[in-house]
Amino acid sequence: MTYNARRGWIRDTLAVLLLAGLCLLFFWAIITPNPADRGSFPPGDFGDQFHAFATFESRELAIGRIPLWCPYFYSGHPFQADIQAAVFYPLSLLTIALNWLCSGPTITFFALEWEAIVHFWLASVFTYLFARRLMRHRGAALVSAVTFAYGGYLTSYPSQQLAILEVGIWLPLILWCVDVGLARVGGHSASNARPMAGPAILLAGLFWGVSLSAGHPQTSMYVFYSVLLYFAFSAWRYRVSWRRASGSFALMQAIGFGLAAVHLLPGIEYMRLSVRAQISYEEV
């Protein structure tokens, strides 16, 4: 590694640490060690739904049982098929595992708040990486990161609807992977011996699958539209042939939907049988 590259890596690391400090400062009232000064996420779906879901999942996994069915809602509830339960979302499983080490099988409200806080930090880091690549300027990338993470969108309804937050924050990282991958493919577009997609496109598919597994199809639809449009733009920008671009995009989607199939397939059946499928547009 050259001196300039090492210095750049150090500066980017410091920027990521700065974003961590800003995240802690933004949520200081929740994470303060003084219980008398401590606040919490306001009443609503975060506690009534997502904490209840996480509590049931944690207790079931603690006794070695996959939470497929929950007997506590109405006459029973196909828990794993409920897309917002996000049973296999990796970061939720990490939260549950860490909570076991600290507090036991019943996940605490504070642990779920930390999960949300970490996602705000990840949103800023992912945006920094993407903006840093596009604009080649750390200051502009930091402004972009703070704007996306703490602007009016993520700090409003998604802070209550954990699934929206956990789906949406992966978008800038997916776009970063797409940009890196198509730049590499475009640089060798004249060679038919080159593979259809490089490692960055495979990572884009992996992160797309993680985003899908977080459990909010409406937000996933917006992520998909954004990625599709940026994919097309980047293919034109880097002069990637449409054959290569289409193959790379199809591969990315196959990886993402394949990884999330354990959530999506039962979720599709569950939504088809739900009473919400029959309500009118006006009622919605």
Side-chain angles (χ1 to χ4, degrees), residues 170-179 204 207-208 211 223 227 252:
W170 296 95
L171 173 61
L173 185 60
I174 296 170
L175 296 180
W176 180 86
C177 292
V178 166
D179 197 84
F207 296 133
W208 171 227
S211 177
V223 171
V227 172
M252 187 189 83

Side-chain angles (χ1 to χ4, degrees), residues 23-43 46 108-118 120 155 159-160:
C23 184
L24 296 176
L25 181 63
F26 188 84
F27 290 102
W28 74 269
I30 292 176
I31 63 176
T32 176
N34 186 358
D37 296 332
R38 184 176 298 164
S40 65
F41 278 46
F46 187 88
T108 64
F109 194 83
F110 189 54
L112 199 65
E113 289 177 321
W114 263 110
E115 181 179 322
I117 291 170
V118 168
F120 277 97
T155 58
S159 63
Q160 271 287 316

Side-chain angles (χ1 to χ4, degrees), residues 58-69:
S58 179
R59 289 175 178 174
E60 289 291 287
L61 292 176
I63 60 176
R65 187 164 58 200
I66 298 177
L68 300 178
W69 182 264

